[in-house]
Amino acid sequence: MTAPNPRILPYGEAAIAEAAALIAAGGCVATPTETVYGLAADATNADAVAGIYAAKGRPAFNPLIVHVADRRAAEAIAMFDRDARALADAFWPGPLTLVLPLRPDAPIAGLVTAGLTTVAIRVPQHRAMQALLAATGKPLAAPSANASGSISPTRAAHVAASLGDRIPLIIDDGATSGGIESTIVAVGAQPRLLRPGPVSAEAIEREIGRWLGAAGEAIEAPGQLASHYAPRKPLRLNATEARDGEWLIGFGAVGGDDTLSAKGDLTEAAARLFDALHRADASDRAAIAVAAVPEDGIGLAINDRLKRAATP
Ligand code: TXA
Ligand code: MG
């Protein structure tokens, strides 16, 4: 018999090796960072990222933060301008997340960025997350390791209480030193503070030599509708067949030009959603239709996203 989930292993070689094997197999693992415990999965594997949403029971897709070992790894994923380099030099490794243009060739799953052309990225300081990055050799997507709607976990016991047997493993390295999530700054023509956090706005302004736009003014404020990828074409929901000029995205028994999951698997559908929308937008058809997706589990998040993408 195997031990019940989640296993809680103290930080060390054995825990990191087991966690890296789970992540290589497409699973997700809770690990401390210097801010809060995160639920980490391979950011290049869409199915693995869908597993994060399934475990958290998130009713909507919010883009996730990608964690990498160092600035070099970050520059392979995102495009850095002068401000971004200055901030990375000053605050990485540490609790600062930069929102930067995603490199078109970056191997990041569309579900990580929720289809956006920008990516949130940080180099964490914590030894457990750093060891996991080294052992997997992958960029790791990690939101806070709590069920949707509950508070962020700063101890392994919080994670276990919140996610329980929905995850296989928690790396326990005691209470996190930070306790609140990283500061998020969108870099660009006018850098903006998207989420206040451990790195103060004043410290950031000192590095870049100008004022930050406030969080409230940010167009891409976290979780806001405007920040999400929307198809350019009209989109119709609950389709059972394609009408004239439509590109049909099927699900289960409803076939089409493409499918979210032919076998009706919701986790697979979540993993394929944003890529399918991009393919539909790029097709030669003038409109998009999408089959009904069950309002169940991660299906809630899929439908939330589809409703926002649909033509009212
Ligand atoms: O301290 C932290 O940042 C923790 C640890 C685990 O690293 N992670 C964390 O992740 O707080 P999460 O998923 O709970 O928060 C990510 C935030 C969300 O508010 C999301 O909207 C925003 O980052 N975000 C991610 N990508 C974005 C993007 N491309 N543009 C704007 N906001 C983005
Ligand atoms: Mg969170």
Side-chain angles (χ1 to χ4, degrees):
M1 244 181 66
T2 51
N5 286 337
R7 299 186 59 211
I8 301 181
L9 291 179
Y11 168 76
E13 263 174 51
I16 294 300
E18 190 169 320
L22 284 164
I23 285 173
C28 49
V29 164
T31 178
T33 79
E34 68 274 32
T35 57
V36 300
Y37 276 69
L39 187 58
D42 178 356
T44 69
N45 178 341
D47 292 307
V49 176
I52 293 177
Y53 284 98
K56 282 180 66 87
R58 260 199 188 175
F61 295 121
N62 220 1
L64 303 176
I65 296 172
V66 174
H67 299 69
V68 291
D70 52 31
R71 197 177 100 191
R72 227 175 109 221
E75 294 215 28
I77 293 170
M79 289 185 277
F80 281 64
D81 64 7
R82 241 184 49 190
D83 287 338
R85 290 211 173 86
L87 293 173
D89 282 344
F91 301 109
W92 283 356
L96 176 68
T97 296
L98 300 177
V99 172
L100 300 170
L102 178 67
R103 281 190 186 282
D105 58 345
I108 299 297
L111 192 53
V112 171
T113 58
L116 294 172
T117 54
T118 54
V119 62
I121 195 160
R122 83 177 182 101
V123 174
Q125 183 160 42
H126 197 284
R127 61 180 184 173
M129 188 55 135
Q130 275 290 347
L132 201 53
L133 287 164
T136 57
K138 299 282 189 187
L140 297 176
S144 51
N146 53 279
S148 178
S150 55
I151 53 171
S152 288
T154 57
R155 295 176 178 279
H158 298 162
V159 180
S162 186
L163 295 178
D165 58 11
R166 287 192 247 165
I167 58 170
L169 177 66
I170 302 170
I171 302 169
D172 185 355
D173 201 13
T176 61
S177 57
I180 59 167
E181 293 93 339
S182 61
T183 304
I184 305 181
V185 174
V187 183
Q190 170 58 66
R192 285 181 306 276
L193 182 68
L194 300 188
R195 180 171 75 182
V199 176
S200 72
E202 294 71 29
I204 290 164
E205 287 164 345
R206 264 199 304 279
E207 288 305 324
I208 61 176
R210 56 211 165 111
W211 302 112
L212 278 174
E217 299 161 18
I219 315 161
E220 312 126 283
Q224 293 260 305
L225 178 61
S227 75
H228 285 219
Y229 172 78
R232 286 174 289 116
K233 298 174 180 174
L235 186 147
R236 183 169 69 87
L237 297 176
N238 301 319
T240 50
E241 55 188 16
R243 294 179 186 160
D244 262 2
E246 281 181 343
W247 173 274
L248 177 60
I249 303 173
F251 177 85
V254 178
D257 301 283
D258 196 355
T259 181
L260 293 175
S261 171
K263 57 181 190 244
D265 181 280
L266 287 169
T267 304
E268 181 180 53
R272 293 177 51 89
L273 176 65
F274 291 103
D275 292 336
L277 289 175
H278 277 286
R279 275 193 296 272
D281 237 1
S283 82
D284 57 0
R285 249 54 72 68
I288 306 169
V290 188
V293 173
E295 191 73 354
D296 179 33
I298 199 172
L300 294 170
I302 296 171
N303 284 325
D304 169 81
R305 185 62 194 81
L306 285 174
K307 276 179 217 139
R308 292 164 191 266
T311 314

